Amino acid sequence: MTAPHLLELKMRGLILTFLILGTLHKSFTVINGEEEFKGDYKKLSGIIIPGFASTQLRAWSILDCPYSPLDFNPLDLVWLDTTKLLSAVNCWLKCIMLEPYNQTDHPECKSRPDSGLSAITELDPGYITGPLSSVWKEWVKWCIEFGIEANAIIAVPYDWRLSPSKLEERDLYFHKLKLTFETAYKLRGGPSLVFAHSLGNLVFRYFLEWLKLEVAPKEYMNWLDKHIHAYFAVGSPFLGATETIKAALSGFTFGVPISEGTARLMFNSFGSSTWMLPFSKYCKTEDKYWKHFSDKGKEAHHAYHCEEEEFKRNYSGWPTNLINIEIPSFHSSDAYPSVLDVMENTSMECSLPTQLSFNAREVADGTFFKAIEDYDPDSKRLLHQLQKSYHGDPVLNPLTPWDRPPLKNVFCIYGVDSKTEVGYYFAPSGKPYPDNWIVTDVIYEIEGSLYSRSGNLVEGNPGATSGDETVAYHSLSWCKNWLGPTVNITRTPQSEHDGSDVQVELDVTHDRGADIIPNMTRSPRVKYITYYEDSESIPGRRTAVWELDKVNHRNMVRSPALMRELWLEMWHDINPAAKSKFVTKAKRGPLRDDDCYWDYGKARCAWPEYCEYRYAFGDVHLGQSCRLKDSSEDLLLYYI
C-alpha cells in the first residue's frame, strides 16, 4: 500500500474519531431526523413549578401589630408562620390578602414570594411544624442521594395568589421563567425536565401560550425542543377542581388554624381563586396564537364555542351537577338576611327558597355568580375577576380544555381510587357574611359510584374510578385524550416486586374522548401503578399516563413510588444503550438503602440478591442495618 493511501486512511480515522468524540460531547442522538438527548444525565436540569399555596411568602414592609409582641418586619415569613397567625391574625390577614379588584397589596403590608429551593421545601420550618408543612423536601433529598448537582435542581416559585396576567404584569414571572430555561441550557449544556404540581401545571400551560408571543413562530418549536426534554404533569386539575367552589362559598382552611369564614375572605381576595374553577370539556375558544396580533383575532379568541354534546349530555361531561344551592325568594339590602330578619318579616315566613343547580359550564362562564349576585357580595368580586383576568385574558382563556403540549415527552401522573368531592349542596346559614352559606351535603365519587355525605346513592355519570381526594378523576384523567389510537397498558404493584405479578396489554384500541379501562385484575390489598404509554401516534413524541392507587393529591410529590419511577424514566431516557421507548416494568428492585428492610419471617434482609445485613454505628433496629450490596448506579443499569 502506498504512502498516499496510508495517509488517506489515517485522515479518515482521525475524522471518524473527532465525529465520535463530538457526538459524545454533545450527548445527542439523531432519531428520525430529530436530535434526541442521550448521554450524560449531568447535563440535564430539573425545573420545579410548585402548586397552590406551596411557596413561601415573605413580608416586604414593616407592620406594627397592636396587642401582639410579634410584628411583621421585612423578610419575615407570612406564608406560613403559624405563630404569628395565631397571635396576630388581623395583622397576618393584612399581609396575605389582596385587594380583590386590582390585586394590589394592603396599604400597610405587602408580601412577595421567596426564591430558591428553600421557598418550596418546607413552608413553616421548625422542629414540629417543618415535617407538617414539608412539600418538596423529600424530592430534593432523593435527588441528592443519586448525586444530582446543586445547580441542576431549579425552583421557580411564584405568587400563587395572582392571576396569570398579573404574574407577568407585576413580577415579569414568565419572562423570568423563559430566562431560567435558557440559563439552565447554557449552564449545563442540555435541556430541562419540568416537574409541575397541581396549579403549577396551569402556570406552565399559560407559559407555553405566552411564549408564542415572545418567540418567532418559526422558532417556537425549535425553542421548546432545545430547552425542554420532558414535562411531568403531577396531579394537574386539567378541567378544574370542585374544591374551589367550596373554598369560594363557605371557605376552606387548607389545614391552617383559622375559621372557614376567614379562609373564605382570604381565598376570594386572590386573583387565582377562579383559575382553578371547574369548566366544561365541550366548550372551547379559538386558540390560534397568530390571531393574538390583531384586534379581530382577540375578539375571536375570547368567543366561547360549545359543541352540541354540551347541550345533549348532562353535567358538562362531569359526574354530576357541581352546585345545588337554595336561593331565597326575597331580596335584602344586607349581604344575606339573618334569622331574626326573617322572623320579623311576616311576608317572608311562608316563602320557600328556590333550589337551583349549576353544571361546570355555568360555573365557568359566570352564570352561577350572576344568579347569586343579589345575595352575596363575593359573587360580584369573583365575577369581575372571572371576566377581566380569564375570559378577557389576551394570551389564553385558561378555563378551556387542554391540548397536548407540543413537547417531545409528556408524562401525566395522578392518584386515583380515593374518596373525592365532586358536588355540593349549599343553603343559607342565617349568619352574616362571610359565613352566610353552609354546606348541607356533599357528593363523593368512590369506586365508580356517586354517594352523598348523608349516605344516599346519587344519579349521574361516575367515572371508572375516583380521584385523588382533591381533584376529581374526570379532571385528572383528561390527559388520556392525548394518547393515540393504540396504547400499551401495564399494571404493576407500587412496592418492590420480582415481576411475577406484572400485567400487560399491548396495542389496546383507544377512541378519542373515551376513557381507557384496562381488563386487569386487582388485589384489594395491593396498591398499583397503571401505565398507559404511546410512542407511535406522533413521530418523535411520547405520551404516557401514570395512575397511582391511593396517592393523595397534596402528598403526591412525596410518594416514594413516584420518585422512583421518575428517576428510572430519566435514567432510561438519557442512556445511549436504552433499547425500548419506555423504561422496562418487568421488575422493581431496591434502588436505595432505604428500600432495604428486615424480613422477620425469614430472619434476614428482604431482597437478598440486592440487600445484605451490614451494621453501621448508630443503627437502632435491624431494618436500618439492611443496605444495598451494589451501588445505585450499578442497579440502574438493569432498567435501560
Side-chain angles (χ1 to χ4, degrees):
M1 186 174 291
T2 62
H5 286 94
L6 286 173
L7 181 61
E8 183 179 356
L9 287 174
K10 288 181 180 179
M11 289 299 295
R12 288 180 179 177
L14 285 172
I15 293 172
L16 181 61
T17 302
F18 283 132
L19 287 174
I20 293 172
L21 289 174
T23 303
L24 291 175
H25 176 72
K26 287 178 67 180
S27 297
F28 284 89
T29 303
V30 178
I31 300 176
N32 296 329
E34 295 187 5
E35 283 190 340
E36 181 74 13
F37 185 82
K38 294 284 184 183
D40 189 359
Y41 72 87
K42 294 180 180 179
K43 293 182 179 293
L44 288 173
S45 300
I47 294 181
I48 300 175
I49 309 179
F52 182 78
S54 295
T55 295
Q56 289 180 350
L57 301 178
R58 292 190 178 272
W60 199 248
S61 57
I62 302 173
L63 177 62
D64 181 19
C65 298
Y67 313 110
S68 173
L70 301 175
D71 299 329
F72 280 95
N73 295 302
L75 301 184
D76 282 355
L77 265 182
V78 176
W79 185 269
L80 183 62
D81 188 333
T82 52
T83 303
K84 289 184 178 179
L85 191 158
L86 292 171
S87 64
V89 64
N90 290 329
C91 275
W92 181 80
L93 285 173
K94 288 179 181 179
C95 293
I96 194 73
M97 290 177 62
L98 299 173
E99 204 285 323
Y101 288 96
N102 55 24
Q103 293 294 282
T104 55
D105 299 283
H106 191 277
E108 298 180 38
C109 186
K110 65 172 63 175
S111 299
R112 291 295 180 268
D114 201 356
S115 59
L117 283 172
S118 61
I120 66 171
T121 50
E122 285 182 345
L123 298 180
D124 190 7
Y127 184 75
I128 297 176
T129 57
L132 298 176
S133 64
S134 174
V135 185
W136 293 88
K137 189 173 184 178
E138 289 298 319
W139 190 291
V140 175
K141 180 182 176 183
W142 181 281
C143 293
I144 292 172
E145 284 190 49
F146 282 96
I148 302 298
E149 295 294 331
N151 61 4
I153 305 298
I154 306 170
V156 282
Y158 58 95
D159 194 333
W160 40 267
R161 302 172 298 169
L162 299 178
S163 63
S165 57
K166 201 68 177 180
L167 274 175
E168 178 61 21
E169 177 187 334
R170 196 195 75 179
D171 297 342
L172 291 178
Y173 178 77
F174 298 109
H175 268 97
K176 293 177 182 177
L177 184 55
K178 177 175 179 287
L179 289 174
T180 300
F181 281 106
E182 294 171 346
T183 303
Y185 183 86
K186 291 181 180 179
L187 178 66
R188 305 191 63 80
S192 297
L193 307 173
V194 179
F195 303 100
H197 178 238
S198 193
L199 177 64
N201 292 282
L202 309 188
V203 173
F204 184 62
R205 179 199 183 189
Y206 190 92
F207 167 73
L208 293 178
E209 293 297 321
W210 172 88
L211 191 65
K212 293 176 180 178
L213 303 178
E214 295 296 315
V215 178
K218 292 182 179 180
E219 295 298 321
Y220 178 71
M221 290 304 303
N222 292 334
W223 191 97
L224 294 180
D225 290 343
K226 178 180 178 181
H227 294 93
I228 302 176
H229 173 69
Y231 165 43
F232 294 90
V234 183
S236 176
F238 290 107
L239 300 180
T242 50
E243 273 193 357
T244 309
I245 298 170
K246 183 171 70 172
L249 284 189
S250 64
F252 187 77
T253 64
F254 302 99
V256 176
I258 56 177
S259 68
E260 289 187 345
T262 302
R264 184 190 181 198
L265 286 171
M266 179 182 73
F267 183 77
N268 287 346
S269 74
F270 301 158
S272 61
S273 60
T274 47
W275 201 346
M276 298 172 286
L277 281 176
F279 53 87
S280 172
K281 69 177 183 180
Y282 300 119
C283 296
K284 302 179 181 179
T285 57
E286 294 295 332
D287 204 20
K288 302 288 187 181
Y289 66 88
W290 54 269
K291 290 186 177 181
H292 297 178
F293 293 101
S294 66
D295 293 335
K296 182 178 179 181
K298 290 181 181 179
E299 292 175 3
H301 172 69
H302 299 309
Y304 261 109
H305 299 283
C306 292
E307 302 172 6
E308 293 183 4
E309 294 294 320
E310 169 66 28
F311 307 100
K312 289 182 179 179
R313 299 178 182 271
N314 295 327
Y315 319 126
S316 294
W318 283 71
T320 184
N321 283 325
L322 306 183
I323 301 176
N324 302 277
I325 191 168
E326 291 184 5
I327 300 293
S329 56
F330 58 87
H331 288 203
S332 171
S333 58
D334 297 329
Y336 206 90
S338 66
V339 175
L340 293 176
D341 293 333
V342 176
M343 293 178 66
E344 289 175 0
N345 193 329
T346 56
S347 63
M348 296 179 184
E349 292 180 359
C350 297
S351 60
L352 297 176
T354 303
Q355 181 85 26
L356 298 178
S357 297
F358 298 89
N359 59 29
R361 173 180 56 83
E362 294 166 330
V363 172
D365 67 10
T367 301
F368 164 68
F369 296 110
K370 289 178 181 178
I372 64 170
E373 191 172 11
D374 294 333
Y375 310 103
D376 194 290
D378 268 356
S379 63
K380 296 179 181 179
R381 293 193 278 266
L382 291 170
L383 194 59
H384 171 82
Q385 293 175 7
L386 185 65
Q387 293 173 344
K388 178 183 177 182
S389 301
Y390 296 91
H391 296 308
D393 191 288
V395 175
L396 169 74
N397 180 357
L399 303 180
T400 51
W402 288 47
D403 293 324
R404 183 192 183 279
L407 304 171
K408 288 182 177 179
N409 305 294
V410 176
F411 294 82
C412 177
I413 308 164
Y414 53 88
V416 295
D417 204 25
S418 296
K419 186 178 179 181
T420 307
E421 299 175 0
V422 294
Y424 303 99
Y425 285 82
F426 293 97
S429 65
K431 298 179 181 180
Y433 170 84
D435 298 307
N436 50 308
W437 300 109
I438 187 173
V439 178
T440 59
D441 207 351
V442 181
I443 302 174
Y444 299 97
E445 61 176 4
I446 182 67
E447 297 179 354
S449 301
L450 299 176
Y451 289 91
S452 68
R453 187 170 60 185
S454 55
N456 298 323
L457 187 64
V458 179
E459 293 184 0
N461 301 316
T465 184
S466 52
D468 62 3
E469 293 188 24
T470 299
V471 183
Y473 173 76
H474 167 81
S475 180
L476 292 167
S477 63
W478 173 255
C479 56
K480 283 187 177 180
N481 288 284
W482 302 345
L483 296 167
T486 305
V487 180
N488 294 335
I489 306 176
T490 308
R491 176 172 288 169
T492 69
Q494 289 184 24
S495 59
E496 289 79 15
H497 57 87
D498 60 7
S500 60
D501 43 10
V502 173
Q503 305 174 64
V504 180
E505 289 186 7
L506 301 178
D507 299 330
V508 177
T509 302
H510 170 227
D511 296 326
R512 179 172 172 78
D515 196 4
I516 311 175
I517 304 175
N519 183 22
M520 296 176 175
T521 58
R522 277 184 180 272
S523 172
R525 292 176 294 179
V526 178
K527 295 180 181 178
Y528 295 96
I529 303 180
T530 306
Y531 309 84
Y532 304 82
E533 298 173 332
D534 172 25
S535 59
E536 306 297 332
S537 300
I538 308 175
R541 300 285 192 263
R542 295 184 306 158
T543 308
V545 177
W546 300 352
E547 293 182 346
L548 284 73
D549 291 351
K550 303 293 184 182
V551 176
N552 177 276
H553 178 84
R554 294 180 176 87
N555 295 328
M556 173 160 281
V557 295
R558 291 181 283 183
S559 167
L562 171 60
M563 289 189 284
R564 178 194 68 203
E565 294 305 312
L566 288 174
W567 178 260
L568 290 178
E569 194 62 54
M570 186 192 79
W571 175 263
H572 170 273
D573 283 5
I574 55 106
N575 199 298
K579 298 178 181 178
S580 59
K581 291 289 186 180
F582 296 95
V583 67
T584 175
K585 314 296 188 304
K587 66 178 180 179
R588 287 289 181 270
L591 294 177
R592 306 181 300 161
D593 288 340
D594 289 349
D595 298 332
C596 297
Y597 57 91
W598 185 260
D599 187 340
Y600 286 91
K602 297 181 180 179
R604 67 181 185 188
C605 291
W607 296 93
E609 63 270 37
Y610 297 104
C611 305
E612 63 182 1
Y613 182 83
R614 196 165 68 247
Y615 175 80
F617 181 76
D619 292 347
V620 296
H621 57 79
L622 294 171
Q624 267 188 303
S625 300
C626 291
R627 291 179 167 85
L628 291 174
K629 290 181 179 180
D630 302 316
S631 68
S632 297
E633 190 164 337
D634 293 333
L635 295 175
L636 285 168
L637 292 175
Y638 171 79
Y639 299 100
I640 60 175

